[in-house]
Amino acid sequence: MPVIDAVVVGGGPAGLSTALVLGRARRRVLVVDTGRPANAVSSTVGGLLAQTGVAPGELRRVGRRQLAEHPTVDVRTAAALDAEPSGGGVAVTIEDRAPVLARALVLAHGLRYDPPPLPGVGPLWGRSVFHCPFCDGWEVRGRRLAVHGNGPQAVRSALLVAGWTDDVVLCTDGPARLEGAEPVLARAGVRVREDPIRRLRGGSDGALLAIEFITGPLEVRDALFVRTQRDQPNRLASTLGCRLSAAGTIVTDVDGRTGIPGVYAAGDAATEHSRSVANAIGFGSRVGYAIVLDQLARAAS
Ligand SMILES: Cc1cc2nc3c(=O)[nH]c(=O)nc-3n(C[C@H](O)[C@H](O)[C@H](O)COP(=O)(O)OP(=O)(O)OC[C@H]3O[C@@H](n4cnc5c(N)ncnc54)[C@H](O)[C@@H]3O)c2cc1C
């Protein structure tokens, strides 16, 4: 079995960033990617320094082109199916390829984000139904916004979104459980609507037009912020025995070490909060440094 320095699972911002550091350090790296990034549905990446209006796919294409200048980096479209510790490294099973033995494995495969199953949400997700105001709030600032959710978490989200507009409706989709937060919400100008939602009414190009309720008038809204259900997108972390946080992300130290020899994680897969392209790039880069330095230390010991 050929031995290389690292296999990176995931060719998103995190994985490409790790591969760039390793490629520049002349390490032999294989990046495998199935091409299903978290933000595939979005038209642009918001909040990335020096990149205004860049599309997620374009960012990856430019990243891959940059990596192509590094002869020790190989980027393939394929799925990593399995991984197990083996002979001081990690043996990785990759779709349609011979298994690869690597000194390091980087789990940079992102997270799966599922919006709540509101009727009509599908074509609007990532276009006018969002999960993160830091990513998309600026583009809808000053507009008619809504937040879907209930309980303290939803109160926090509504207060956060109120920073981007004076017109926010918190849709609790049933009897509100606001635990005394009504005055705070009122002070922030957030209206509360308890009627159960019937469906989201959308227009062309994924635009939200209105929220329809089982009872009462509809709410004309330009965007809706929701809470997503998030999971690891595959079983690699659990198969390897990586520890997961309550949020379902891989637990690592600041440099992405999982505690399992040779196994690192970067990007969304290992980020409990504040997940973004910028943070994934930074995390991926740190992991690249850590791999080079750890392998050097091991070789010297
Ligand atoms: C709807 C939406 C909109 C967003 N908008 C923004 C925004 O405007 N600005 C911003 O900064 N952030 C935004 N984000 C967050 C941002 O997309 C993520 O933080 C970022 O993409 C994380 O990068 P990553 O490399 O960790 O994961 P990803 O970009 O998700 O890439 C992971 C890659 O790994 C691949 N993969 C998974 N399993 C395997 C496997 N077994 N084998 C091989 N490959 C595999 C996937 O196909 C994918 O290509 C948004 C997220 C969502 C869900």
Side-chain angles (χ1 to χ4, degrees), residues 9-15 32-39 41-42 44-48 60 78-81 108-111 113 125-126 131 135-136 233-234 236 266-269 275-278 280:
V9 181
V32 290
D33 182 47
T34 47
R36 288 192 292 271
N39 56 353
V41 289
S42 303
T44 58
V45 176
L48 183 60
R60 291 166 152 246
L81 302 176
H109 47 53
L111 282 178
Y113 292 76
W125 171 235
H131 72 295
C135 295
D136 295 292
N234 55 54
L236 291 172
D268 275 12
R275 286 175 292 268
S276 72
V277 170

Side-chain angles (χ1 to χ4, degrees), residues 86-129:
S86 168
V90 184
V92 188
T93 307
I94 297 165
E95 183 187 28
D96 296 336
R97 283 174 74 98
V100 177
L101 185 59
R103 293 185 182 87
L105 171 68
V106 184
L107 301 177
H109 47 53
L111 282 178
R112 220 186 66 218
Y113 292 76
D114 294 320
L118 294 169
V121 74
L124 311 184
W125 171 235
R127 305 263 163 182
S128 56
V129 175

